[in-house]
Coordinates of all heavy atoms in Angstrom, one line a residue:
M115 N 6.1 -2.8 5.7 CA 6.6 -1.4 5.7 C 8.0 -1.4 6.1 O 8.8 -0.6 5.6 CB 5.7 -0.6 6.6 CG 4.3 -0.3 6.2 SD 3.3 0.7 7.2 CE 3.1 -0.3 8.7
I116 N 8.4 -2.2 7.0 CA 9.8 -2.3 7.5 C 10.7 -2.8 6.3 O 11.7 -2.2 6.1 CB 9.9 -3.2 8.7 CG1 9.3 -2.5 9.9 CG2 11.4 -3.5 9.0 CD1 9.1 -3.5 11.1
L117 N 10.2 -3.8 5.7 CA 11.0 -4.4 4.6 C 11.2 -3.4 3.4 O 12.2 -3.2 2.9 CB 10.4 -5.7 4.0 CG 10.5 -6.9 5.0 CD1 9.7 -8.0 4.4 CD2 11.9 -7.3 5.3
R118 N 10.1 -2.6 3.1 CA 10.2 -1.6 2.0 C 11.1 -0.5 2.5 O 11.9 -0.1 1.6 CB 8.8 -1.1 1.8 CG 8.8 0.1 0.8 CD 9.4 -0.1 -0.5 NE 8.7 -1.1 -1.3 CZ 9.3 -1.9 -2.2 NH1 10.6 -1.7 -2.5 NH2 8.7 -2.8 -2.8
T119 N 11.1 -0.1 3.7 CA 12.0 0.9 4.2 C 13.5 0.5 4.1 O 14.3 1.2 3.6 CB 11.7 1.3 5.7 OG1 10.4 1.7 5.7 CG2 12.7 2.3 6.2
L120 N 13.8 -0.8 4.4 CA 15.1 -1.3 4.3 C 15.6 -1.5 2.9 O 16.7 -1.2 2.6 CB 15.2 -2.6 5.1 CG 15.1 -2.5 6.6 CD1 15.1 -3.9 7.2 CD2 16.1 -1.6 7.2
A121 N 14.6 -1.9 2.0 CA 15.0 -2.1 0.6 C 15.3 -0.7 0.0 O 16.1 -0.6 -0.9 CB 13.8 -2.8 -0.1
T122 N 14.6 0.3 0.4 CA 14.7 1.6 -0.1 C 15.9 2.4 0.4 O 16.7 3.0 -0.3 CB 13.5 2.5 0.1 OG1 12.4 1.8 -0.5 CG2 13.6 3.9 -0.5
M123 N 16.1 2.3 1.7 CA 17.1 3.1 2.4 C 18.4 2.4 2.8 O 19.4 3.0 3.2 CB 16.5 3.7 3.7 CG 15.3 4.6 3.3 SD 14.8 5.6 4.8 CE 16.2 6.6 5.0
G124 N 18.4 1.1 2.7 CA 19.6 0.3 3.2 C 19.5 0.1 4.7 O 18.5 0.4 5.3
P125 N 20.5 -0.4 5.3 CA 20.5 -0.8 6.7 C 20.1 0.4 7.6 O 20.6 1.5 7.4 CB 21.9 -1.2 7.0 CG 22.5 -1.7 5.7 CD 21.8 -0.8 4.7
Q126 N 19.3 0.2 8.5 CA 18.8 1.2 9.5 C 18.6 0.6 10.9 O 18.4 -0.6 11.0 CB 17.4 1.7 9.0 CG 17.4 2.4 7.7 CD 18.0 3.8 7.8 OE1 17.7 4.5 8.7 NE2 18.9 4.0 6.8
H127 N 18.7 1.4 11.9 CA 18.3 1.0 13.2 C 16.9 1.2 13.4 O 16.2 1.9 12.6 CB 19.2 1.7 14.3 CG 19.2 3.2 14.1 ND1 18.1 4.0 14.5 CD2 20.2 4.1 13.7 CE1 18.4 5.3 14.3 NE2 19.7 5.3 13.8
A128 N 16.3 0.7 14.5 CA 14.9 0.7 14.7 C 14.3 2.1 14.7 O 13.2 2.3 14.1 CB 14.5 -0.1 16.0
Y129 N 15.0 3.0 15.4 CA 14.4 4.4 15.4 C 14.4 5.0 14.0 O 13.5 5.7 13.7 CB 15.3 5.2 16.4 CG 14.8 6.6 16.5 CD1 13.7 7.0 17.2 CD2 15.5 7.7 15.8 CE1 13.2 8.3 17.3 CE2 15.0 9.0 15.8 CZ 13.9 9.3 16.6 OH 13.5 10.6 16.6
G130 N 15.4 4.7 13.2 CA 15.5 5.2 11.9 C 14.4 4.7 11.0 O 13.8 5.4 10.2
I131 N 14.1 3.4 11.2 CA 13.0 2.7 10.5 C 11.7 3.4 10.8 O 10.9 3.8 10.0 CB 13.0 1.2 10.7 CG1 14.2 0.6 10.2 CG2 11.7 0.6 10.1 CD1 14.4 -0.9 10.6
A132 N 11.4 3.5 12.1 CA 10.2 4.1 12.6 C 10.0 5.5 12.1 O 8.9 5.9 11.7 CB 10.1 4.0 14.1
S133 N 11.1 6.3 12.2 CA 11.0 7.7 11.8 C 10.7 7.8 10.3 O 9.9 8.6 9.9 CB 12.4 8.4 12.0 OG 12.6 8.4 13.4
R134 N 11.3 6.9 9.5 CA 11.0 7.0 8.0 C 9.6 6.6 7.7 O 8.9 7.2 6.9 CB 12.0 6.0 7.3 CG 11.8 5.9 5.8 CD 12.1 7.2 5.2 NE 11.9 7.1 3.7 CZ 11.8 8.1 2.9 NH1 11.9 9.3 3.3 NH2 11.7 7.8 1.6
I135 N 9.1 5.6 8.4 CA 7.7 5.2 8.2 C 6.7 6.3 8.6 O 5.8 6.6 7.9 CB 7.3 3.9 8.9 CG1 8.1 2.7 8.3 CG2 5.8 3.6 8.9 CD1 8.0 1.4 9.0
E136 N 7.0 7.0 9.7 CA 6.2 8.1 10.1 C 6.3 9.2 9.1 O 5.3 9.9 8.8 CB 6.7 8.6 11.5 CG 6.3 7.6 12.6 CD 6.9 8.0 14.0 OE1 7.4 9.1 14.1 OE2 6.8 7.1 14.9
Q137 N 7.5 9.5 8.6 CA 7.7 10.6 7.6 C 6.9 10.3 6.4 O 6.1 11.1 5.9 CB 9.2 10.7 7.3 CG 9.4 11.8 6.2 CD 10.9 11.7 5.8 OE1 11.5 10.6 5.8 NE2 11.4 12.8 5.3
V138 N 7.0 9.1 5.8 CA 6.4 8.7 4.6 C 4.8 8.7 4.7 O 4.1 9.1 3.8 CB 6.8 7.4 4.1 CG1 6.0 6.8 2.9 CG2 8.3 7.4 3.6
S139 N 4.4 8.4 5.9 CA 2.9 8.3 6.2 C 2.3 9.7 6.5 O 1.1 9.8 6.8 CB 2.6 7.4 7.3 OG 3.0 7.9 8.6
G140 N 3.2 10.7 6.5 CA 2.7 12.0 6.9 C 2.3 12.1 8.3 O 1.4 12.8 8.7
D141 N 3.0 11.4 9.1 CA 2.8 11.3 10.6 C 1.4 10.6 11.0 O 0.9 10.8 12.1 CB 2.9 12.6 11.3 CG 4.4 13.1 11.3 OD1 5.3 12.3 11.4 OD2 4.6 14.3 11.2
Q142 N 0.9 9.9 10.0 CA -0.4 9.2 10.4 C -0.1 7.9 11.1 O -1.0 7.3 11.7 CB -1.2 9.0 9.1 CG -1.8 10.3 8.5 CD -2.7 10.1 7.4 OE1 -2.8 9.0 6.8 NE2 -3.3 11.1 6.9
L143 N 1.1 7.3 10.9 CA 1.5 6.1 11.6 C 2.6 6.5 12.6 O 3.6 7.0 12.2 CB 2.0 5.1 10.6 CG 1.0 4.5 9.6 CD1 1.7 3.5 8.7 CD2 -0.1 3.7 10.4
N144 N 2.3 6.2 13.8 CA 3.3 6.5 14.9 C 3.7 5.1 15.5 O 2.9 4.5 16.2 CB 2.8 7.4 15.9 CG 2.6 8.8 15.4 OD1 3.4 9.3 14.6 ND2 1.4 9.4 15.7
L145 N 4.9 4.7 15.2 CA 5.4 3.4 15.7 C 6.2 3.5 17.0 O 7.1 4.3 17.0 CB 6.2 2.7 14.6 CG 5.5 2.5 13.3 CD1 6.5 1.8 12.3 CD2 4.3 1.6 13.4
N146 N 5.8 2.8 18.0 CA 6.6 2.8 19.2 C 7.4 1.6 19.3 O 7.3 0.7 18.5 CB 5.7 3.0 20.4 CG 4.7 1.9 20.6 OD1 5.0 0.8 20.3 ND2 3.5 2.3 21.0
Q147 N 8.3 1.5 20.4 CA 9.1 0.3 20.5 C 8.4 -1.0 20.7 O 8.8 -2.0 20.2 CB 10.0 0.5 21.7 CG 11.1 1.6 21.5 CD 12.0 1.7 22.7 OE1 11.9 1.0 23.7 NE2 12.9 2.7 22.7
G148 N 7.2 -0.9 21.3 CA 6.4 -2.1 21.5 C 5.8 -2.6 20.2 O 5.4 -3.8 20.1
T149 N 5.8 -1.8 19.2 CA 5.3 -2.2 17.9 C 6.5 -2.7 17.0 O 6.4 -3.7 16.3 CB 4.6 -1.0 17.2 OG1 3.5 -0.6 18.0 CG2 4.1 -1.4 15.8
I150 N 7.5 -1.9 16.9 CA 8.5 -2.2 15.9 C 9.5 -3.3 16.3 O 9.9 -4.1 15.4 CB 9.3 -0.9 15.5 CG1 10.0 -1.1 14.2 CG2 10.2 -0.4 16.6 CD1 10.3 0.1 13.4
Y151 N 9.9 -3.4 17.6 CA 10.8 -4.4 17.9 C 10.3 -5.9 17.7 O 11.1 -6.7 17.2 CB 11.4 -4.2 19.4 CG 12.4 -3.1 19.4 CD1 12.1 -1.9 20.0 CD2 13.7 -3.3 18.8 CE1 13.0 -0.9 20.0 CE2 14.6 -2.2 18.8 CZ 14.3 -1.0 19.4 OH 15.2 0.0 19.4
P152 N 9.1 -6.2 18.1 CA 8.6 -7.5 17.9 C 8.6 -7.9 16.4 O 8.9 -9.0 16.0 CB 7.2 -7.5 18.5 CG 7.2 -6.5 19.5 CD 8.2 -5.4 18.9
A153 N 8.2 -6.9 15.5 CA 8.2 -7.1 14.1 C 9.6 -7.3 13.6 O 9.8 -8.2 12.7 CB 7.6 -5.9 13.4
L154 N 10.6 -6.6 14.1 CA 12.0 -6.8 13.7 C 12.5 -8.1 14.1 O 13.2 -8.8 13.3 CB 12.9 -5.7 14.2 CG 12.7 -4.3 13.6 CD1 13.4 -3.2 14.4 CD2 13.3 -4.3 12.2
I155 N 12.1 -8.6 15.2 CA 12.5 -9.9 15.7 C 11.9 -11.0 14.8 O 12.6 -11.9 14.4 CB 12.1 -10.1 17.2 CG1 13.0 -9.3 18.1 CG2 12.3 -11.6 17.6 CD1 12.5 -9.2 19.5
R156 N 10.6 -10.9 14.5 CA 10.0 -11.9 13.6 C 10.6 -11.9 12.2 O 10.9 -12.9 11.6 CB 8.5 -11.6 13.5 CG 7.7 -12.0 14.6 CD 6.2 -12.0 14.4 NE 5.7 -10.7 13.9 CZ 5.3 -9.7 14.6 NH1 5.4 -9.8 16.0 NH2 4.9 -8.6 14.1
L157 N 10.9 -10.7 11.7 CA 11.6 -10.6 10.3 C 12.9 -11.3 10.4 O 13.3 -12.0 9.4 CB 11.7 -9.2 9.9 CG 10.3 -8.5 9.5 CD1 10.6 -7.0 9.3 CD2 9.7 -9.1 8.3
E158 N 13.7 -11.1 11.4 CA 15.0 -11.7 11.6 C 14.9 -13.2 11.7 O 15.6 -14.0 11.1 CB 15.8 -11.1 12.7 CG 17.2 -11.5 12.8 CD 18.0 -10.7 13.8 OE1 17.4 -10.0 14.7 OE2 19.2 -10.8 13.8
Q159 N 13.9 -13.7 12.5 CA 13.7 -15.1 12.7 C 13.3 -15.8 11.3 O 13.6 -17.0 11.1 CB 12.6 -15.4 13.7 CG 13.1 -15.1 15.1 CD 11.9 -15.1 16.2 OE1 10.8 -15.0 15.8 NE2 12.3 -15.2 17.4
H160 N 12.6 -15.1 10.5 CA 12.2 -15.6 9.2 C 13.3 -15.6 8.2 O 13.2 -16.1 7.1 CB 11.0 -14.8 8.6 CG 9.7 -15.3 9.1 ND1 9.1 -14.7 10.3 CD2 8.8 -16.2 8.7 CE1 8.0 -15.2 10.5 NE2 7.7 -16.2 9.6
G161 N 14.4 -14.9 8.6 CA 15.6 -14.8 7.7 C 15.4 -13.7 6.6 O 16.1 -13.6 5.7
W162 N 14.4 -12.8 6.9 CA 14.1 -11.7 5.9 C 15.0 -10.5 6.2 O 15.1 -9.6 5.4 CB 12.7 -11.4 6.0 CG 11.8 -12.4 5.3 CD1 12.2 -13.6 4.9 CD2 10.4 -12.3 5.1 NE1 11.1 -14.3 4.4 CE2 10.0 -13.5 4.5 CE3 9.4 -11.3 5.3 CZ2 8.7 -13.8 4.1 CZ3 8.1 -11.6 4.9 CH2 7.8 -12.8 4.3
T163 N 15.5 -10.4 7.4 CA 16.5 -9.3 7.8 C 17.7 -10.0 8.5 O 17.6 -11.1 9.0 CB 15.9 -8.3 8.7 OG1 15.5 -8.9 9.9 CG2 14.7 -7.6 8.0
Q164 N 18.7 -9.2 8.5 CA 20.0 -9.6 9.2 C 20.4 -8.4 10.0 O 20.4 -7.3 9.5 CB 21.0 -10.0 8.2 CG 22.3 -10.5 8.9 CD 23.3 -11.0 7.8 OE1 23.2 -10.7 6.6 NE2 24.3 -11.7 8.3
A165 N 20.7 -8.6 11.3 CA 21.1 -7.5 12.2 C 22.6 -7.5 12.5 O 23.2 -8.6 12.6 CB 20.3 -7.6 13.4
S166 N 23.1 -6.4 12.7 CA 24.5 -6.2 13.2 C 24.6 -4.9 14.0 O 23.8 -4.0 13.8 CB 25.5 -6.2 12.0 OG 25.2 -5.1 11.2
W167 N 25.5 -4.9 14.9 CA 25.7 -3.7 15.7 C 26.5 -2.6 15.0 O 27.5 -2.9 14.3 CB 26.4 -4.1 17.0 CG 25.4 -4.8 17.9 CD1 25.3 -6.2 18.1 CD2 24.4 -4.3 18.8 NE1 24.3 -6.5 18.9 CE2 23.7 -5.4 19.4 CE3 24.0 -3.0 19.1 CZ2 22.7 -5.2 20.3 CZ3 23.0 -2.8 19.9 CH2 22.3 -3.9 20.5
G168 N 26.2 -1.4 15.2 CA 26.9 -0.3 14.6 C 26.7 1.0 15.5 O 26.1 0.9 16.6
T169 N 27.3 2.1 15.0 CA 27.2 3.3 15.8 C 26.3 4.3 15.0 O 26.4 4.5 13.8 CB 28.6 3.9 15.9 OG1 29.4 3.0 16.5 CG2 28.6 5.2 16.7
T170 N 25.4 5.0 15.7 CA 24.4 5.9 15.1 C 25.1 7.2 14.9 O 26.3 7.5 15.3 CB 23.2 6.2 16.1 OG1 23.7 6.9 17.2 CG2 22.5 4.9 16.5
E171 N 24.4 8.1 14.2 CA 24.9 9.5 13.9 C 25.1 10.2 15.2 O 25.9 11.2 15.3 CB 24.0 10.2 13.0 CG 22.6 10.3 13.4 CD 21.7 9.0 13.1 OE1 22.2 8.1 12.4 OE2 20.6 9.0 13.6
N172 N 24.5 9.8 16.3 CA 24.7 10.4 17.6 C 25.8 9.7 18.5 O 25.8 9.9 19.7 CB 23.4 10.5 18.4 CG 22.3 11.3 17.7 OD1 22.7 12.3 17.1 ND2 21.1 11.0 17.9
N173 N 26.5 8.9 17.8 CA 27.6 8.1 18.4 C 27.1 7.2 19.5 O 27.8 7.0 20.5 CB 28.7 9.1 19.0 CG 30.0 8.4 19.1 OD1 30.4 7.6 18.3 ND2 30.9 8.9 20.0
R174 N 26.0 6.6 19.3 CA 25.4 5.6 20.2 C 25.4 4.2 19.5 O 25.3 4.1 18.3 CB 24.0 5.9 20.6 CG 23.9 7.2 21.5 CD 22.5 7.4 21.9 NE 22.5 8.6 22.7 CZ 21.6 9.0 23.5 NH1 20.5 8.2 23.6 NH2 21.6 10.1 24.2
E175 N 25.6 3.2 20.3 CA 25.6 1.8 19.7 C 24.1 1.4 19.5 O 23.3 1.6 20.4 CB 26.3 0.9 20.7 CG 26.7 -0.4 20.0 CD 27.6 -1.2 20.9 OE1 28.7 -0.8 21.2 OE2 27.2 -2.3 21.3
A176 N 23.9 0.8 18.3 CA 22.5 0.4 18.0 C 22.6 -0.8 17.0 O 23.6 -1.0 16.3 CB 21.7 1.5 17.3
K177 N 21.5 -1.6 17.1 CA 21.4 -2.7 16.2 C 20.9 -2.2 14.8 O 19.8 -1.6 14.8 CB 20.5 -3.8 16.8 CG 20.7 -5.1 16.3 CD 19.8 -6.1 17.1 CE 20.4 -7.5 17.1 NZ 19.5 -8.4 17.8
Y178 N 21.6 -2.5 13.8 CA 21.2 -2.1 12.4 C 20.6 -3.3 11.7 O 21.2 -4.4 11.8 CB 22.3 -1.5 11.6 CG 22.6 -0.1 11.9 CD1 23.3 0.3 13.1 CD2 22.2 0.9 11.1 CE1 23.6 1.6 13.4 CE2 22.5 2.2 11.4 CZ 23.1 2.6 12.5 OH 23.4 3.9 12.8
Y179 N 19.5 -3.1 11.0 CA 18.9 -4.2 10.3 C 19.0 -4.0 8.8 O 18.9 -2.8 8.3 CB 17.4 -4.2 10.6 CG 17.2 -4.5 12.1 CD1 17.2 -3.5 13.0 CD2 17.0 -5.8 12.6 CE1 17.0 -3.8 14.4 CE2 16.9 -6.1 13.9 CZ 16.9 -5.1 14.8 OH 16.7 -5.4 16.1
A180 N 19.3 -5.1 8.0 CA 19.4 -5.0 6.6 C 18.5 -6.1 6.0 O 18.3 -7.2 6.6 CB 20.8 -5.2 6.2
I181 N 17.9 -5.8 4.9 CA 17.1 -6.8 4.2 C 18.0 -7.8 3.5 O 19.0 -7.5 3.0 CB 16.1 -6.1 3.2 CG1 15.0 -7.1 2.8 CG2 16.8 -5.5 2.0 CD1 13.9 -6.4 2.1
T182 N 17.5 -9.1 3.5 CA 18.3 -10.2 2.9 C 17.6 -10.5 1.5 O 16.6 -10.0 1.2 CB 18.2 -11.4 3.8 OG1 16.9 -11.9 3.9 CG2 18.8 -11.2 5.1
K183 N 18.3 -11.4 0.8 CA 17.7 -11.9 -0.5 C 16.3 -12.5 -0.2 O 15.4 -12.2 -1.0 CB 18.6 -12.8 -1.2 CG 19.8 -12.2 -1.8 CD 20.6 -13.2 -2.6 CE 21.8 -12.6 -3.2 NZ 22.6 -13.5 -4.0
A184 N 16.2 -13.3 0.8 CA 14.9 -13.9 1.2 C 13.9 -12.8 1.5 O 12.7 -12.9 1.2 CB 15.1 -14.9 2.3
G185 N 14.4 -11.7 2.2 CA 13.5 -10.6 2.5 C 13.0 -9.9 1.3 O 11.9 -9.4 1.3
L186 N 13.9 -9.7 0.3 CA 13.4 -9.1 -0.9 C 12.3 -9.9 -1.6 O 11.3 -9.4 -2.1 CB 14.6 -8.9 -1.9 CG 15.6 -7.8 -1.5 CD1 16.8 -7.9 -2.4 CD2 15.0 -6.4 -1.5
K187 N 12.5 -11.2 -1.6 CA 11.5 -12.1 -2.1 C 10.2 -12.0 -1.3 O 9.1 -11.9 -1.9 CB 12.0 -13.6 -2.2 CG 11.0 -14.6 -2.8 CD 11.6 -16.0 -2.8 CE 10.5 -16.9 -3.3 NZ 10.9 -18.3 -3.2
G188 N 10.3 -12.0 0.0 CA 9.2 -11.9 0.9 C 8.5 -10.6 0.7 O 7.2 -10.5 0.7
L189 N 9.2 -9.5 0.5 CA 8.6 -8.2 0.3 C 7.8 -8.2 -1.0 O 6.7 -7.7 -1.0 CB 9.7 -7.1 0.1 CG 9.3 -5.7 -0.3 CD1 8.3 -5.2 0.7 CD2 10.5 -4.9 -0.5
K190 N 8.3 -8.8 -2.0 CA 7.5 -8.9 -3.3 C 6.2 -9.7 -3.1 O 5.1 -9.3 -3.5 CB 8.4 -9.6 -4.4 CG 7.7 -9.6 -5.7 CD 8.6 -10.2 -6.8 CE 7.9 -10.3 -8.1 NZ 8.7 -10.8 -9.1
E191 N 6.3 -10.9 -2.4 CA 5.1 -11.7 -2.1 C 4.1 -11.0 -1.2 O 2.9 -11.0 -1.5 CB 5.6 -13.0 -1.5 CG 6.3 -13.9 -2.4 CD 7.0 -15.1 -1.7 OE1 6.9 -15.2 -0.4 OE2 7.6 -15.9 -2.3
E192 N 4.6 -10.3 -0.2 CA 3.7 -9.6 0.7 C 3.1 -8.4 0.1 O 1.9 -8.1 0.3 CB 4.4 -9.2 2.0 CG 4.8 -10.4 2.9 CD 3.6 -11.2 3.4 OE1 2.6 -10.6 3.7 OE2 3.8 -12.4 3.4
T193 N 3.8 -7.7 -0.8 CA 3.3 -6.6 -1.5 C 2.1 -7.0 -2.4 O 1.1 -6.4 -2.5 CB 4.4 -5.9 -2.4 OG1 5.4 -5.4 -1.5 CG2 3.8 -4.7 -3.2
N194 N 2.3 -8.1 -3.1 CA 1.3 -8.7 -4.0 C 0.1 -9.1 -3.2 O -1.1 -8.8 -3.6 CB 1.8 -9.9 -4.8 CG 2.7 -9.5 -5.9 OD1 2.7 -8.3 -6.4 ND2 3.6 -10.4 -6.3
R195 N 0.3 -9.7 -2.0 CA -0.8 -10.2 -1.2 C -1.6 -8.9 -0.6 O -2.8 -8.9 -0.6 CB -0.2 -11.0 0.0 CG -1.3 -11.7 0.8 CD -0.6 -12.5 1.9 NE 0.7 -12.9 1.5 CZ 1.2 -14.1 1.6 NH1 0.5 -15.1 2.0 NH2 2.5 -14.3 1.3
W196 N -0.9 -7.9 -0.3 CA -1.5 -6.7 0.2 C -2.3 -6.0 -0.9 O -3.5 -5.6 -0.6 CB -0.5 -5.7 0.8 CG -1.1 -4.4 1.2 CD1 -1.1 -3.2 0.4 CD2 -1.9 -4.1 2.3 NE1 -1.8 -2.3 1.1 CE2 -2.3 -2.8 2.3 CE3 -2.2 -4.9 3.4 CZ2 -3.1 -2.2 3.3 CZ3 -3.0 -4.3 4.4 CH2 -3.4 -3.0 4.3
R197 N -1.8 -6.0 -2.1 CA -2.6 -5.3 -3.1 C -3.8 -6.1 -3.5 O -4.9 -5.5 -3.7 CB -1.7 -5.2 -4.4 CG -0.6 -4.1 -4.2 CD 0.2 -3.9 -5.4 NE 1.1 -2.7 -5.2 CZ 2.3 -2.6 -5.6 NH1 2.8 -3.6 -6.3 NH2 3.0 -1.6 -5.3
Q198 N -3.8 -7.4 -3.4 CA -4.9 -8.3 -3.6 C -6.0 -8.0 -2.5 O -7.2 -7.8 -2.8 CB -4.6 -9.7 -3.7 CG -3.8 -10.2 -4.9 CD -3.3 -11.6 -4.8 OE1 -3.3 -12.2 -3.8 NE2 -2.9 -12.1 -5.9
M199 N -5.5 -8.0 -1.3 CA -6.4 -7.8 -0.2 C -7.1 -6.4 -0.2 O -8.3 -6.2 0.0 CB -5.7 -8.0 1.2 CG -6.6 -7.9 2.4 SD -8.0 -9.0 2.4 CE -7.2 -10.6 2.5
S200 N -6.3 -5.4 -0.5 CA -6.8 -4.0 -0.5 C -7.8 -3.9 -1.7 O -8.8 -3.2 -1.6 CB -5.7 -3.0 -0.6 OG -5.0 -3.1 -1.8
S201 N -7.6 -4.6 -2.8 CA -8.5 -4.6 -3.9 C -9.9 -5.2 -3.5 O -10.9 -4.7 -3.8 CB -7.9 -5.4 -5.1 OG -8.9 -5.5 -6.1
V202 N -9.8 -6.3 -2.7 CA -11.0 -6.9 -2.2 C -11.8 -5.9 -1.3 O -13.0 -5.8 -1.4 CB -10.7 -8.2 -1.5 CG1 -12.0 -8.7 -0.7 CG2 -10.2 -9.3 -2.4
V203 N -11.1 -5.3 -0.4 CA -11.7 -4.3 0.5 C -12.3 -3.2 -0.3 O -13.5 -2.8 0.0 CB -10.7 -3.8 1.5 CG1 -11.2 -2.7 2.4 CG2 -10.2 -4.9 2.4
E204 N -11.6 -2.7 -1.3 CA -12.2 -1.6 -2.1 C -13.5 -2.0 -2.8 O -14.4 -1.3 -2.8 CB -11.2 -1.2 -3.2 CG -10.1 -0.2 -2.7 CD -10.7 1.1 -2.2 OE1 -11.6 1.6 -2.8 OE2 -10.1 1.6 -1.2
K205 N -13.5 -3.3 -3.3 CA -14.7 -3.8 -4.0 C -15.9 -3.9 -2.9 O -17.0 -3.5 -3.3 CB -14.5 -5.1 -4.6 CG -13.6 -5.1 -5.8 CD -13.3 -6.5 -6.3 CE -12.4 -6.4 -7.5 NZ -12.0 -7.8 -7.9
L206 N -15.6 -4.3 -1.7 CA -16.6 -4.5 -0.7 C -17.1 -3.1 -0.3 O -18.3 -2.9 -0.1 CB -16.1 -5.2 0.5 CG -15.9 -6.7 0.2 CD1 -15.1 -7.4 1.4 CD2 -17.2 -7.5 -0.1
L207 N -16.3 -2.1 -0.1 CA -16.7 -0.8 0.2 C -17.5 -0.1 -0.9 O -18.4 0.6 -0.6 CB -15.5 0.1 0.6 CG -14.7 -0.3 1.9 CD1 -13.5 0.5 2.0 CD2 -15.6 -0.2 3.1
A208 N -17.1 -0.4 -2.1 CA -17.9 0.2 -3.2 C -19.3 -0.3 -3.3 O -20.2 0.4 -3.8 CB -17.1 -0.1 -4.5
E209 N -19.6 -1.5 -2.8 CA -20.9 -2.0 -2.8 C -21.9 -1.2 -1.9 O -23.1 -1.2 -2.2 CB -20.9 -3.5 -2.3 CG -20.3 -4.5 -3.3 CD -20.3 -5.9 -2.8 OE1 -20.8 -6.1 -1.7 OE2 -19.9 -6.8 -3.6
E210 N -21.3 -0.6 -0.9 CA -22.2 0.2 0.0 C -22.6 1.5 -0.5 O -23.5 2.2 0.0 CB -21.4 0.4 1.3 CG -21.2 -0.9 2.1 CD -20.5 -0.7 3.4 OE1 -20.5 0.4 3.9 OE2 -20.0 -1.7 3.9
Q211 N -22.1 2.0 -1.6 CA -22.4 3.3 -2.1 C -23.7 3.3 -2.9 O -24.2 2.5 -3.6 CB -21.3 3.8 -3.0 CG -20.0 4.1 -2.2 CD -18.9 4.6 -3.0 OE1 -19.0 4.8 -4.2 NE2 -17.8 4.9 -2.3

């Protein structure tokens, strides 16, 4: 979700990423700092994002994250993996009807 947000919106700070995910989900997903920061660190360690410091619209200093070429490739792979897994879950749930 983070990678898709960055691919769609361009560089964002953590609060902006979380806000966008909450907005797109219709407020069904509420991400807090304990959720989003570890994910951002892992993505950066994998080379899927790159971070730099910038100033927010409120004139505060924040770390901005941007998706890398490797991140775009990873997004494609993870999207395919998710679609396969959700297809399996749908098949299993359909068996119960």
Side-chain angles (χ1 to χ4, degrees):
M115 292 183 290
I116 292 170
L117 291 175
R118 172 56 61 207
T119 299
L120 294 174
T122 301
M123 298 189 67
Q126 295 289 312
H127 50 74
Y129 180 78
I131 294 167
S133 295
R134 178 65 177 166
I135 291 171
E136 289 174 12
Q137 176 190 29
V138 170
S139 75
D141 290 325
Q142 292 185 352
L143 293 175
N144 295 314
L145 303 177
N146 60 38
Q147 290 181 3
T149 303
I150 198 159
Y151 283 110
L154 287 167
I155 290 168
R156 281 192 307 275
L157 291 170
E158 192 173 9
Q159 288 171 342
H160 279 91
W162 288 8
T163 61
Q164 184 176 15
S166 61
W167 288 96
T169 305
T170 68
E171 53 279 351
N172 296 331
N173 206 29
R174 294 184 180 196
E175 198 169 296
K177 204 175 208 183
Y178 279 78
Y179 297 86
I181 193 167
T182 63
K183 285 184 182 182
L186 290 170
K187 182 180 177 188
L189 172 59
K190 183 177 180 179
E191 292 169 359
E192 292 299 321
T193 299
N194 289 336
R195 192 177 336 230
W196 175 258
R197 288 184 174 143
Q198 289 173 347
M199 183 57 67
S200 65
S201 174
V202 169
V203 171
E204 280 297 323
K205 286 177 186 176
L206 291 170
L207 291 174
E209 287 181 0
E210 293 183 16
Q211 294 181 0

